Amino acid sequence: MHSLDFRAKRGFAKRLAVPGLLVSVYCLFVLNYVFVISEVFGYAGFTKDHVTSGKLLLSAMLSAALSLLASFFREDYYRLIYSTSLVLLFFGQAVHYAFTDTPFLLTAYMMLPPIVLFVIDKTDSGRVFRRTTVSLRDPRFRVVFVLVVLGLASPLLRFIRLIDLRNLFLVNVYETRRLFFEHGLGIAGYVISPLARVVFPFLLVSGAKSDKKVLIALGILGVIGLYLLGGAVKSLFFGLMAAVFFMGGDFGHKERRFLMSILLANLVGLLAYTLYGISLVGDYIRRVFFVPAYLFNVYFSYYSGNHTLFTHSKLYTMLGSTDRSVFIPQFVGESLLGQRGLIANVGIFVEGFVSFGTFGVFVAAMLFGIFIKLMRKLDIDSKMQ
């Protein structure tokens, strides 16, 4: 009887472990925003002038409720993506809402992707497609894979002369980005994201597992090189995050590893600024988690009632339309924010709002959920070995 009680309590504690980590991440986001980001970067719009007890309470209650929802997931795979989306999409928006004049509607928008994932978890039948396994342990496949990677990266070689090592310390980042886009991306624009977020991190971890130093070197140089070429901090962050995902362990281990990494980064950022006045880590945290929330507010303010109806897309231009020849991220960065060379890139949910308003955000959230479900149907090995 006692052993059953112990197992029940242990199971209950295990179920609350992830919500506890998520709440801790939210709390550290608040502390970092108040004591580091708003102090150092208040001039850039990251203020705390509009905080009220009601807004802060609403932000905290919604974050706690969504964190607790993680304990009710059936599949670890969906919970992993859910926790990741809370950290990357919702928490930053919720904190930014609490301390600035950002409308609450934007926070509500960012609740949609996690909620869609929760619904998919509850309705998924569990059936998967037949899986075919390949491994970098196979020398032939390893050679082919490296050749494919080099082929994908080849369009970027013409930008090598733009590399500025000072970007590693967040110096001249916008200038590098401006030069990068002024040269015209062409086909390179289509390979940057998959290289930074999947291919190079996969090479790094696979090389570490198989003790292949060439693969490790390619992975590290690739992730850092993409950052130096485009000045995008997210290339570094998503590369590291993807590496965490590709490391061994089941989906539950990956989730806890990811959340612990975010907690550690926030603690380092807080201590570095509090003890030594160093805001470098805090700046990375700001750029990854809070700049998207700030930019959503900028886009929302300009495009409310002025939606593009998707006429700004490359697809629309390919069909022969020249209604909107302006590159919107560059227009927002240079014209709305007034920073020469600033490319204010945003994600698919903001893109959805720019195109179709609330309906566009909803469609983007649904497409996101469909993609995540499709990946589940592929029956990806959680250990990815």
Side-chain angles (χ1 to χ4, degrees):
M1 186 70 176
H2 290 296
S3 62
L4 289 176
D5 290 341
F6 174 76
R7 283 198 295 270
K9 291 179 180 178
R10 185 177 180 181
F12 180 74
K14 186 176 180 180
R15 173 177 287 189
L16 291 180
V18 170
L21 288 172
L22 286 168
V23 170
S24 299
V25 169
Y26 171 80
C27 292
L28 281 174
F29 273 3
V30 171
L31 293 176
N32 252 305
Y33 189 90
V34 171
F35 296 108
V36 182
I37 294 169
S38 65
E39 293 293 321
V40 180
F41 305 101
Y43 69 92
F46 299 91
T47 65
K48 51 186 176 183
D49 299 337
H50 295 83
V51 63
T52 66
S53 56
K55 289 172 63 178
L56 187 57
L57 181 62
L58 178 59
S59 171
M61 288 180 63
L62 286 174
S63 298
L66 289 174
S67 297
L68 185 61
L69 205 61
S71 63
F72 296 98
F73 272 71
R74 295 186 306 171
E75 291 199 31
D76 288 347
Y77 167 79
Y78 287 122
R79 196 187 65 211
L80 166 64
I81 308 301
Y82 177 85
S83 298
T84 305
S85 67
L86 280 185
V87 173
L88 294 180
L89 301 175
F90 180 75
F91 285 166
Q93 195 73 55
V95 173
H96 196 258
Y97 156 74
F99 290 95
T100 68
D101 59 352
T102 299
F104 173 74
L105 182 59
L106 306 192
T107 303
Y109 284 155
M110 287 297 98
M111 291 176 63
L112 286 175
I115 290 175
V116 166
L117 288 172
F118 182 75
V119 173
I120 289 175
D121 173 76
K122 293 302 181 185
T123 57
D124 191 350
S125 64
R127 284 179 287 186
V128 297
F129 301 141
R130 189 173 180 179
R131 182 169 68 193
T132 300
T133 303
V134 293
S135 173
L136 285 181
R137 291 190 177 93
D138 184 338
R140 292 169 298 179
F141 177 73
R142 187 162 62 241
V143 171
V144 172
F145 189 77
V146 170
L147 290 176
V148 170
V149 171
L150 293 176
L152 285 173
S154 60
L156 297 169
L157 294 178
R158 65 190 180 96
F159 299 106
I160 287 180
R161 66 181 184 277
L162 301 180
I163 288 179
D164 185 346
L165 295 178
R166 291 175 297 177
N167 291 169
L168 291 173
F169 303 97
L170 302 181
V171 176
N172 280 358
V173 171
Y174 292 134
E175 179 64 16
T176 298
R177 192 178 303 175
R178 182 185 66 80
L179 292 172
F180 187 66
F181 280 92
E182 279 185 354
H183 276 71
L185 292 179
I187 194 174
Y190 296 96
V191 301
I192 292 174
S193 184
L195 285 173
R197 303 183 183 192
V198 178
V199 176
F200 287 138
F202 181 71
L203 275 176
L204 173 60
V205 176
S206 296
K209 286 182 177 181
S210 57
D211 195 27
K212 301 297 181 183
K213 294 181 175 57
V214 173
L215 298 182
I216 296 174
L218 279 175
I220 294 174
L221 290 175
V223 171
I224 295 176
L226 285 177
Y227 166 69
L228 291 175
L229 286 171
V233 175
K234 284 189 176 181
S235 294
L236 280 177
F237 174 77
F238 282 113
L240 292 173
M241 187 180 75
V244 170
F245 277 42
F246 282 126
M247 288 173 64
D250 58 25
F251 291 124
H253 283 100
K254 295 176 191 297
E255 180 182 32
R256 290 187 291 275
R257 190 186 299 134
F258 167 69
L259 294 176
M260 290 300 295
S261 300
I262 301 299
L263 283 172
L264 179 61
N266 274 271
L267 284 172
V268 170
L270 273 172
L271 292 174
Y273 184 73
T274 303
L275 299 178
Y276 305 106
I278 298 174
S279 60
L280 181 62
V281 178
D283 193 12
Y284 273 97
I285 291 171
R286 176 185 70 92
R287 289 168 181 257
V288 172
F289 300 106
F290 295 108
V291 166
Y294 170 74
L295 289 180
F296 198 174
N297 190 32
V298 174
Y299 275 78
F300 179 83
S301 299
Y302 185 81
Y303 286 101
S304 291
N306 184 33
H307 305 302
T308 67
L309 304 181
F310 210 55
T311 58
H312 69 284
S313 69
K314 292 181 180 179
L315 176 61
Y316 198 83
T317 304
M318 289 170 62
L319 294 176
S321 172
T322 56
D323 292 347
R324 292 176 183 265
S325 57
V326 65
F327 180 45
I328 287 182
Q330 186 172 9
F331 165 74
V332 172
E334 296 189 339
S335 299
L336 300 187
L337 298 177
Q339 296 188 44
R340 182 174 177 269
L342 175 59
I343 309 296
N345 287 311
V346 289
I348 61 169
F349 307 108
V350 181
E351 285 273 2
F353 175 81
V354 170
S355 296
F356 300 106
T358 299
F359 175 72
V361 180
F362 179 78
V363 170
M366 295 301 296
L367 292 174
F368 169 71
I370 291 171
F371 174 76
I372 296 302
K373 185 172 182 177
L374 176 62
M375 296 301 292
R376 181 69 186 99
K377 295 301 179 185
L378 294 177
D379 195 22
I380 298 173
D381 183 2
S382 65
K383 296 180 174 56
M384 295 185 184
Q385 294 181 359

